[in-house]
Amino acid sequence: MTQAVEYDVVVLGAGPAGENVADRTRAAGLSTAVVESELIGGECSYWACMPSKALLRPVIAQADARRLPGLSGAVQGPLDTQAVLARRDEQTSHWKDDGQVGWLDSIGARVYRGSGVLDGARKVTVHGPEGEHHTLTARHAVVVSTGSRAVLPDIPGLAGAGAWTSREATSAREAPGRLAVVGGGVVGVEMATAWQALGSQVTMLVRGPGLLPRMEPFVGEHVAEALTEAGATIRADTEVTAVERRGGAGSGPVTLVLGNGERIEVDEVLIATGRAPRTDTIGLETVGLEPGSWLTVDDSCRVKGIDWLYAVGDVNHRALLTHQGKYQARIAGAAIAARAQHVPLLETDRWGAHSATADHDAVPQVVFSDPEAAAVGLSLAEAEQAGHRVRAVDYDLASVAGAGLYAENYRGHARMVVDLDREIVLGVTFVGAGVGELLHSATIAVAGEVPIDRLWHAVPSYPTISEIWLRLLETYREG
């Protein structure tokens, strides 16, 4: 049976970005349908942000406690792995989405279960799980928010070896005895941190010279040092050329063949080497776009060349982070509503209400490793490549009084990148225990383009780690 229904807005994908678009369009009075083929709440809720941080929180808490006299002796034993996994299950609602479905219902959005496929201009066909079909027409906008998926590289033997991706790494039922992590980015680092602490012997195999290559170089150095001290093995400049698992997926040990001919045997292997957009089966060809491609958008998140199609979240490849996808959704929702209301001139100028400017200039990210890494805006290399006349201001985070109180033998580093012509902060990076909670102050400074002279009057409380701001500003003035 096929049903045809018209809505103001149709959203493909009910992850955080899709949910936020629906929230904004419904708040503007636009009827909205949301189509989802898996769980409402998407990757973040069930296989990424929430489960990974649930795994990491006890790891970080124990590491912090072990650095405090008077407490360290009480926390020297291993973590209760099963208790950690049970809490992880609670944080993912045991992979049930009733609560998130209820929230979409509460805002008046109509949820369609099934695969949504574009079928020409403003039309979406939904293939339901029980063979039913719905034809949805959008009066104003279709929004693609289908996210991304992990990519397995073309390594002989890998496809049939049952390798972990980020999904398996965050939802595993037990800690493997030996885990190889291929890749040194955020997923690789966080999962190496978690599973090493939960009982696995972790070996990281990284093609490049170090970890977290998209951040300032000192970040990867600090994190690698700590992971090594925790018992992990990190092998840089190492390539995996073949994978063997004689018993097939999920059966028996895995042998990894390295570029130098060496063979390493492990119980599981996590591939954390990249992601691809989930756009290969959503009918892009019916609107003149390439299936499987990233969707190029303007700053209102409207797909270039199509005035009714929007893309938010990972699919537009601007910043593959949940919080940035939600930010884009708020911008896109406001733009869709304004255009539906025939507002003559949208605020699409830099930092305008309908412009996702932060995607270019103020993207914040925390890596929940031990130590944590946090950054916003441009690194020194990025700022120089962009043609800015800049100066990097560095400071040893451990020398701040609050760091010494936070933990014995605290180690960390901070960098502030200053635009010398405008006297504003273009980027800030921290590495050290607890620095994730410092990041929003840096984000405000970068997004607000707060002048250095005004930041001087933002007084950090004593004795907190946030006094690093005073030290950075003093160092800048002295230079």
Side-chain angles (χ1 to χ4, degrees):
M1 182 178 68
T2 300
Q3 293 184 338
V5 191
E6 188 175 56
Y7 294 91
D8 291 321
V9 180
V10 177
V11 181
L12 296 183
E19 288 178 318
N20 273 262
V21 169
D23 186 39
R24 292 298 85 211
T25 56
R26 284 298 301 131
L30 301 177
S31 60
T32 302
V34 181
V35 184
E36 176 55 59
S37 61
E38 293 189 295
L39 295 175
I40 305 296
E43 199 81 9
C44 174
S45 297
Y46 306 103
W47 300 287
C49 313
M50 295 304 291
S52 65
K53 277 54 190 181
L55 292 173
L56 285 159
R57 178 61 195 138
V59 175
I60 304 305
Q62 184 187 54
D64 284 345
R66 285 177 171 175
R67 300 182 185 112
L68 286 174
L71 182 58
S72 59
V75 291
Q76 287 304 315
L79 288 167
D80 184 338
T81 300
Q82 288 307 309
V84 173
L85 296 181
R87 184 170 183 269
R88 182 271 318 270
D89 294 351
E90 291 177 4
Q91 292 297 314
T92 59
S93 301
H94 299 272
W95 290 275
K96 296 179 181 178
D97 61 5
D98 300 22
Q100 303 223 37
V101 172
W103 178 80
L104 280 173
D105 288 341
S106 75
I107 66 170
R110 172 71 160 86
V111 176
Y112 287 86
R113 298 280 194 178
S115 300
V117 181
L118 288 164
D119 187 18
R122 293 185 172 83
K123 286 189 177 181
V124 172
T125 299
V126 181
H127 303 285
E130 297 181 5
E132 71 276 23
H133 299 280
H134 304 275
T135 299
L136 312 181
T137 301
R139 297 184 190 94
H140 300 294
V142 174
V143 184
V144 178
S145 57
T146 48
S148 64
R149 56 179 172 79
V151 174
L152 293 180
D154 187 18
I155 298 174
L158 180 60
W164 282 7
T165 66
S166 54
R167 283 197 171 195
E168 290 77 21
T170 56
S171 61
R173 308 311 304 176
E174 60 183 18
R178 300 163 298 175
L179 174 66
V181 177
V182 180
V186 176
V187 171
V189 163
E190 289 190 345
M191 290 298 93
T193 301
W195 289 110
Q196 177 69 36
L198 291 171
S200 299
Q201 175 56 57
V202 171
T203 300
M204 297 191 74
L205 305 172
V206 184
R207 290 187 65 179
L211 303 181
L212 301 171
R214 296 187 178 182
M215 303 184 86
E216 298 280 13
F218 61 80
V219 172
E221 295 168 6
H222 275 266
V223 173
E225 182 180 11
L227 271 169
T228 301
E229 290 177 356
T233 299
I234 301 172
R235 301 187 56 167
D237 299 312
T238 299
E239 185 175 4
V240 178
T241 58
V243 177
E244 300 171 2
R245 195 170 205 168
R246 293 184 180 179
S251 177
V254 184
T255 299
L256 306 178
V257 183
L258 306 185
N260 62 3
E262 183 181 353
R263 300 167 71 88
I264 296 177
E265 185 179 274
V266 295
D267 298 297
E268 297 290 351
V269 55
L270 163 62
I271 305 296
T273 55
R275 299 190 69 80
R278 296 179 63 186
T279 60
D280 46 332
T281 60
I282 63 167
L284 290 184
E285 67 279 4
T286 70
V287 296
L289 298 173
E290 182 69 26
S293 64
W294 302 102
L295 298 178
T296 303
V297 299
D298 63 19
D299 280 348
S300 72
C301 296
R302 186 165 60 176
V303 175
K304 291 187 176 179
I306 305 178
D307 64 5
W308 52 268
L309 186 64
Y310 293 73
V312 297
D314 285 10
V315 290
N316 64 33
H317 208 231
R318 288 163 69 101
L320 278 66
L321 296 161
T322 294
H323 46 272
Q324 289 302 124
K326 293 165 71 173
Y327 162 72
Q328 293 165 12
R330 296 191 293 271
I331 298 294
I336 291 167
R339 287 172 175 141
Q341 295 159 4
H342 304 292
V343 172
L345 189 63
L346 270 62
E347 297 177 42
T348 55
D349 55 314
R350 192 164 179 266
W351 302 115
H354 307 114
S355 178
T357 307
D359 286 349
H360 308 298
D361 298 332
V363 175
Q365 181 175 21
V366 178
V367 183
F368 292 85
S369 49
D370 176 33
E372 287 179 347
V376 63
L378 302 180
S379 67
L380 174 60
E382 289 169 339
E384 290 175 338
Q385 290 166 6
H388 298 288
R389 193 171 69 90
V390 295
R391 176 183 162 204
V393 182
D394 290 277
Y395 207 86
D396 179 4
L397 199 55
S399 66
V400 176
L405 288 169
Y406 191 95
E408 294 286 290
N409 301 313
Y410 190 103
R411 287 178 290 182
H413 193 83
R415 171 172 287 178
M416 178 175 70
V417 178
V418 179
D419 184 321
L420 295 174
D421 295 317
R422 293 190 290 162
E423 287 276 301
I424 61 172
V425 180
L426 293 179
V428 183
T429 299
F430 305 112
V431 61
V435 298
E437 296 301 332
L438 288 179
L439 187 59
H440 196 56
S441 59
T443 302
I444 292 170
V446 173
E449 298 182 340
V450 182
I452 291 288
D453 285 348
R454 180 58 61 86
L455 281 176
W456 185 253
H457 296 282
V459 183
S461 297
Y462 180 88
T464 66
I465 300 177
S466 62
E467 271 203 307
I468 187 61
W469 278 106
L470 179 56
R471 304 283 90 88
L472 289 168
L473 293 168
E474 287 175 335
T475 304
Y476 177 72
R477 285 192 161 195
E478 292 165 1

